[in-house]
Amino acid sequence: MQRIEYVRECPSDEQVYSMLRWYVAEWFRRRYGSFTLPQRCAIPLIKQGHNVLVSSPTGTGKTLAVFLGIIDELFRLAEEGRLEEKIYAVYVSPLRALNNDMRRNLLEPLRGIREVAAERGVELPEIRVAVRTSDTSPAEKQAMTRRPPHILITTPESLTIALVAPRFRERLATTRWVVIDEIHELASSKRGSLLSLTLERLEYLAGRLQRIGLSATIAPLEEVAKFLVGFEDDGSPRPCKIVDARFAKPIDIRVLCPVRDLINTPAEEVNEAIYRLLAKLIREHRTTLIFTNTRSATERVVYKLRRLLAEEGIADFDEIEAHHSSLSRDVRLEVEEKLKRGELKVVVSSTSLELGIDIGYIDLVVLLSSPKSVSRLLQRVGRAGHHIRQVSKGRIIVVDRDDLVECTVLAKAAMDRKIDRVHIPRNPLDILAQHLVGMSLEKRWKIDEAYRLIRRSYSFHTLDYRDYINTLRYLAGLYPDTLESLKVYAKIWLDEEKGEFGKKRSTRAIYAPNVGAIPDEAKIKVYTRDGRYVGDLEEAFVQILSPGDIFVLGGRTYRFIRSEGARVIVERVEGARPTVPVWFSEMLPLAFDSALLVGEFRRRVAEMIREGVPREKIVEWLVEEYRLEEHAAENIYEYIREQLEFTGLDVPSDRVILVELFIDEDEETSNVIFHTLFGRRVNDALSRAYAFRLAEKLGKPVRITVSDNGFMLTVEGVDAVDMATVKWLAGSVRSGELRDILRRVLRNTELLKRRFRHCAERALMILRRYRGYERSVHRMQINAQALLQAVEQLGDFPVLKEAYREILEDYMDVEHAEQVLRWVEEGRIRLEFFGPTRVPSPFAHHLVARGYSDVVLMEDRRRVIAELHRRVMELLAARRAAAGGGAAAQAMGGGGGGEAQGLQPG
């Protein structure tokens, strides 16, 4: 029997109505008339007791699809006199704001159904709904224990804590249904790992649960279903029915190019054109939601739009708001309420409005620049047209030629329903440690019994027994000489001879205040060597810095020297070009699957050009196939044609990696550029390994610049690297050794220091809160660095092992990086070489201009790219003239993976 299966046919409206109690059916008929596809499919399955995963866009009635069947069952129990004072259903969502929304969304139908029943003399009891999160007061929690809600609304963290609250644990023991909302958001993070094992512990307490998951557009649904339901002891997934209604709503996505020529138009004109286009779209629609890719861009766009829209009489100052995670909760809630009341013309957000908070009527979603994945694009655009029959209308405004190519491909993939695969973390040992401490509070456990329970969770299904035992040993304090001197004490007792473990007396005091998967982040204070304070940086930005990196803060340029806890030490460097843009840590990385689609698109267009298909035919094909404006299609054609003509080689794509040596005489550097179109997480892993090999060979420091489309290794000196070295370098990293190289590279980095602290916090090695006292991030980081030095001597220490796993698998994408290297080894991807050149090829310009920028901080970058493009065009013109017009055709034809000798500009 197939355990995970798709629902192929769904009952009719009348069949679904016949399954419901008459008053539930009557209320729904009066209110909505007919069921949406997800509702027709899910309600019968839930009534029949199946585990169900429902994937459908916003505005398709997912909430009622899930809860109408549960509410109907609760009223059936009431009719039969069997509705007791106990918890029947637990609803879990990632956001507290969603929880308050859900309570409102449930109280309305419950009240309406009781009123319909009362019209015919049937008095139904109240179905109680309550929210339990970190915002819930102790008094409310006590009241909930005395008189539990029938439906409990909570978050993963609060549910995990509630499981060990002595009296409330008894209340949870009666749970029948668990509903996980926004499961796509949870599955892809350690919060999902926390929840996955919490559900197994709840099932151990309450008996077999009926699990119901709600998801926006995500893939592969089979894996998400396994994440929802977990596994039996025989290793098979529990059964689950999948309702795939991801494309139940019509969508309309188009890419807009703000100017006719993206490369030659001055930066100021491009920016003006973007805002003019935004103003036009906003004028034509009632409420517009604009997504940027960084919080800082959100603020700047709001600032400029308020002035522009007021001048043009489109919207008042108060009708335009920002919404992002750095704003206070009260401000965000106020913006959400104004949206629901229809008081806003425009809201600009980074990622905070992607999730399913009910924000009322939106008729247009605009994305400024690429959303970096098909699933994120569909999720954002799905916020428009908040009803199953309304079209979800989205427009993507592009900012340069790379962005244009990427967005064109993502928009087409979204319309064609090609969705990126989600990455779900596996076996995070810090989360395991947290759970083992929680389990010790429940009872005395047999080691093997606990291991069986843990492996029922999807997130820990492949947990290695040795890692499990090592984690127990760490928690039991079996490293006293190393850790107790640093004030890390045992949290549990462990008797390996008897095969048992349990709680220590002090455990409960440390557990609840420190549960969770989200680490404390702080602003990092920046000081010069002589102790002068110059400003703050985000911790996520600090962790990507290496000594010698140059960045801008407060309009001045600084070189990173070192960090000391939550302090960074720098020195002023006048006139130096920044090597790391301050917004870089906020930027979303291009998904691997989407990157492969972009590479395939480049290859197809290049093949058409090589085969001599006329320009107008290719432009026409792009306009029709990808729904592009003609001038946008012409920009794409010219971009790919210029790369082909300039190198005489195949364009970098899903089947070709171009390795280019660019000698920058202005900066006096040698630059090895790898055109690896596999997304930034893959390129981050590859770039560090190749940089390590190059530094090892040359005995010189190597600077790394990374983007979604490739990476650049920079060495001081115009003669530091030759083509022989480039060819050696390209073959110097093998798939089987990548992880080992990266572990060596990461050893002394800020990334490891800070990620180790995060893991140590989650593993209760460093306590954020204890007996009402809260430790600062600065103290925790100082402590973490001392601990890191100590545990490096302990071999396979679980918290350090997890820090490396998190960086390699969750922050980077080492699995796909290994796959790319295997493809090279197998010949599925071909290496081509170009150079040395004094002018980089067109596809390299974004890297030479120091990576991507956002839509409002790109003037400098545009100028660099425009200048590089001018030099490319001059060289091509000179080459054509010298060859009497024949060189262009010759360049289109050959290259063949060689040096492209004779084509080296300079």
Side-chain angles (χ1 to χ4, degrees), residues 771-782:
R771 297 192 185 280
Y773 173 70
E774 190 150 343
R775 300 174 78 190
S776 71
V777 171
H778 178 66
R779 290 303 322 155
M780 288 194 290
Q781 188 62 44
I782 293 284

Side-chain angles (χ1 to χ4, degrees), residues 241-505:
K241 305 280 188 185
I242 299 174
V243 176
D244 182 4
R246 289 174 294 182
F247 303 95
K249 270 175 78 177
I251 53 172
D252 171 21
I253 301 173
R254 301 195 74 144
V255 173
L256 303 178
C257 185
V259 292
R260 299 206 66 79
D261 183 345
L262 276 169
I263 195 70
N264 292 312
T265 307
E268 295 76 10
E269 285 184 35
V270 175
N271 272 345
E272 279 179 30
I274 288 170
Y275 283 100
R276 277 200 308 274
L277 182 51
L278 273 176
K280 176 178 180 290
L281 292 169
I282 291 163
R283 182 187 287 112
E284 292 168 355
H285 296 84
R286 197 175 92 192
T287 308
T288 302
L289 172 57
I290 299 170
F291 282 104
T292 69
N293 283 348
T294 66
R295 296 186 296 273
S296 48
T298 294
E299 291 291 352
R300 285 193 297 274
V301 171
V302 166
Y303 175 77
K304 291 194 78 166
L305 277 180
R306 277 178 166 160
R307 197 174 58 202
L308 175 66
L309 299 184
E311 284 172 5
E312 299 200 5
I314 298 170
D316 293 335
F317 185 92
D318 293 339
E319 294 178 294
I320 305 160
E321 293 285 4
H323 190 290
H324 58 75
S325 56
S326 295
L327 295 170
S328 74
R329 182 168 172 266
D330 289 345
V331 170
R332 293 200 307 272
L333 285 174
E334 187 183 345
V335 172
E336 290 159 25
E337 288 302 321
K338 285 170 80 174
L339 251 181
K340 284 176 204 171
R341 295 194 297 266
E343 295 171 9
L344 296 179
K345 184 76 174 166
V346 186
V347 177
V348 186
S349 176
S350 50
T351 56
S352 54
L353 283 179
E354 286 178 356
L355 294 188
I357 303 163
D358 182 8
I359 53 174
Y361 182 82
I362 301 279
D363 54 347
L364 177 69
V365 167
V366 178
L367 289 80
L368 288 176
S369 196
S370 170
K372 299 295 177 181
S373 82
V374 179
S375 40
R376 184 175 289 107
L377 171 57
L378 285 165
Q379 200 169 321
R380 289 179 169 186
V381 172
R383 305 300 281 161
H386 205 86
H387 189 274
I388 186 86
R389 291 170 195 82
Q390 291 171 341
V391 176
S392 288
K393 185 176 177 182
R395 297 293 180 261
I396 313 172
I397 299 178
V398 301
V399 298
D400 59 34
R401 298 197 296 183
D402 284 305
D403 196 35
L404 171 59
V405 170
E406 192 175 297
C407 292
T408 296
V409 173
L410 294 185
K412 178 80 163 75
M415 298 297 284
D416 291 348
R417 308 179 178 191
K418 291 179 182 171
I419 304 168
D420 316 283
R421 290 165 294 171
V422 67
H423 167 74
I424 304 176
R426 295 296 188 105
N427 307 315
L429 300 181
D430 50 356
I431 298 295
L432 174 66
Q434 204 175 107
H435 270 292
L436 287 169
V437 173
M439 289 169 72
S440 77
L441 294 170
E442 297 169 358
K443 67 168 201 167
R444 176 190 296 248
W445 284 88
K446 291 288 184 186
I447 290 173
D448 289 345
E449 180 192 16
Y451 183 58
R452 281 196 301 276
L453 183 152
I454 289 161
R455 280 171 55 97
R456 290 172 202 150
S457 152
Y458 176 95
S459 298
F460 295 95
H461 184 56
T462 57
L463 177 67
D464 183 83
Y465 190 75
R466 188 177 59 191
D467 285 338
Y468 168 61
I469 293 296
N470 282 345
T471 306
L472 281 172
R473 288 172 179 163
Y474 143 64
L475 290 170
L478 298 188
Y479 305 94
D481 297 342
T482 307
L483 297 182
E484 285 198 5
S485 62
L486 292 165
K487 300 185 177 172
V488 177
Y489 302 108
K491 316 301 189 281
I492 64 171
W493 59 260
L494 173 67
D495 187 330
E496 290 191 60
E497 281 189 20
K498 285 188 177 178
E500 294 180 340
F501 71 90
K503 70 176 180 181
K504 293 199 74 116
R505 204 167 42 218

Side-chain angles (χ1 to χ4, degrees), residues 82-369:
R82 295 193 295 127
L83 185 70
E84 299 178 45
E85 296 278 301
K86 62 187 188 185
I87 294 170
Y88 288 91
V90 174
Y91 165 91
V92 183
S93 88
L95 292 181
R96 285 172 296 187
L98 268 178
N99 288 336
N100 295 320
D101 252 7
M102 179 54 63
R103 184 172 179 275
R104 282 198 297 264
N105 292 343
L106 282 178
L107 290 176
E108 185 186 344
L110 286 168
R111 189 163 44 246
I113 290 165
R114 291 178 72 207
E115 286 169 2
V116 168
E119 288 173 13
R120 286 173 48 181
V122 177
E123 284 300 317
L124 294 173
E126 179 191 8
I127 304 290
R128 291 192 304 280
V129 183
V131 176
R132 184 185 179 106
T133 67
S134 56
D135 293 335
T136 308
S137 69
E140 288 173 301
K141 287 177 182 174
Q142 284 172 3
M144 232 177 268
T145 305
R146 288 193 301 271
R147 191 167 184 246
H150 300 110
I151 300 173
L152 175 70
I153 296 173
T154 188
T155 61
E157 294 79 8
S158 293
L159 179 60
T160 305
I161 294 167
L163 261 181
V164 298
R167 290 179 60 207
F168 200 72
R169 177 177 170 78
E170 296 169 25
R171 296 303 195 183
L172 287 169
T174 61
T175 306
R176 278 180 52 183
W177 296 279
V178 175
V179 180
I180 312 298
D181 202 354
E182 305 286 351
I183 196 169
H184 58 283
E185 178 71 16
L186 288 166
S188 61
S189 73
K190 285 192 177 182
R191 294 185 76 200
S193 312
L194 181 77
L195 176 63
S196 174
L197 190 41
T198 297
L199 293 181
E200 294 308 326
R201 290 169 57 197
L202 180 59
E203 180 143 326
Y204 183 86
L205 170 69
R208 184 51 62 100
L209 299 170
Q210 185 179 351
R211 305 189 193 199
I212 303 152
L214 296 175
S215 175
T217 306
I218 195 172
L221 288 178
E222 298 89 339
E223 286 305 302
V224 180
K226 289 176 192 171
F227 173 82
L228 170 68
V229 297
F231 291 84
E232 307 282 13
D233 282 340
D234 65 4
S236 62
R238 295 190 183 102
C240 186
K241 305 280 188 185
I242 299 174
V243 176
D244 182 4
R246 289 174 294 182
F247 303 95
K249 270 175 78 177
I251 53 172
D252 171 21
I253 301 173
R254 301 195 74 144
V255 173
L256 303 178
C257 185
V259 292
R260 299 206 66 79
D261 183 345
L262 276 169
I263 195 70
N264 292 312
T265 307
E268 295 76 10
E269 285 184 35
V270 175
N271 272 345
E272 279 179 30
I274 288 170
Y275 283 100
R276 277 200 308 274
L277 182 51
L278 273 176
K280 176 178 180 290
L281 292 169
I282 291 163
R283 182 187 287 112
E284 292 168 355
H285 296 84
R286 197 175 92 192
T287 308
T288 302
L289 172 57
I290 299 170
F291 282 104
T292 69
N293 283 348
T294 66
R295 296 186 296 273
S296 48
T298 294
E299 291 291 352
R300 285 193 297 274
V301 171
V302 166
Y303 175 77
K304 291 194 78 166
L305 277 180
R306 277 178 166 160
R307 197 174 58 202
L308 175 66
L309 299 184
E311 284 172 5
E312 299 200 5
I314 298 170
D316 293 335
F317 185 92
D318 293 339
E319 294 178 294
I320 305 160
E321 293 285 4
H323 190 290
H324 58 75
S325 56
S326 295
L327 295 170
S328 74
R329 182 168 172 266
D330 289 345
V331 170
R332 293 200 307 272
L333 285 174
E334 187 183 345
V335 172
E336 290 159 25
E337 288 302 321
K338 285 170 80 174
L339 251 181
K340 284 176 204 171
R341 295 194 297 266
E343 295 171 9
L344 296 179
K345 184 76 174 166
V346 186
V347 177
V348 186
S349 176
S350 50
T351 56
S352 54
L353 283 179
E354 286 178 356
L355 294 188
I357 303 163
D358 182 8
I359 53 174
Y361 182 82
I362 301 279
D363 54 347
L364 177 69
V365 167
V366 178
L367 289 80
L368 288 176
S369 196

Side-chain angles (χ1 to χ4, degrees), residues 698-710:
L698 300 180
K700 286 185 165 192
V702 177
R703 198 169 73 227
I704 302 172
T705 306
V706 182
S707 82
D708 289 309
N709 295 354

Side-chain angles (χ1 to χ4, degrees), residues 29 39 49 102 174 198 357 531 571 762 838 874:
R29 200 188 298 270
Q39 290 167 345
M102 179 54 63
T174 61
T198 297
I357 303 163
E571 64 183 8
R762 293 189 200 99
R838 298 301 192 270
E874 280 182 2

Side-chain angles (χ1 to χ4, degrees), residues 714-741:
T714 300
V715 184
E716 294 296 328
V718 292
D719 56 356
V721 183
D722 57 19
M723 281 308 294
T725 303
V726 170
K727 289 188 171 182
W728 166 83
L729 179 64
S732 69
V733 179
R734 308 288 293 176
S735 58
E737 62 187 359
L738 181 62
R739 287 176 194 252
D740 288 339
I741 294 173

Side-chain angles (χ1 to χ4, degrees), residues 11 15-25 35 38-52 54 64-77 79-80 176-177 210-212 241 243:
Q15 287 172 312
V16 178
Y17 276 126
S18 70
M19 297 176 190
L20 299 169
R21 321 219 79 60
W22 67 265
Y23 41 81
V24 175
F35 295 100
Q39 290 167 345
R40 280 195 295 112
C41 298
I43 291 169
L45 295 171
I46 291 165
K47 291 276 292 175
Q48 291 157 14
H50 294 288
N51 295 326
V52 183
V54 183
L64 280 177
V66 166
F67 272 109
L68 210 63
I70 294 173
I71 288 168
D72 192 76
E73 283 297 294
L74 292 176
F75 280 130
R76 180 182 64 79
L77 291 173
E79 273 185 33
E80 296 168 2
R176 278 180 52 183
W177 296 279
Q210 185 179 351
R211 305 189 193 199
I212 303 152
K241 305 280 188 185
V243 176

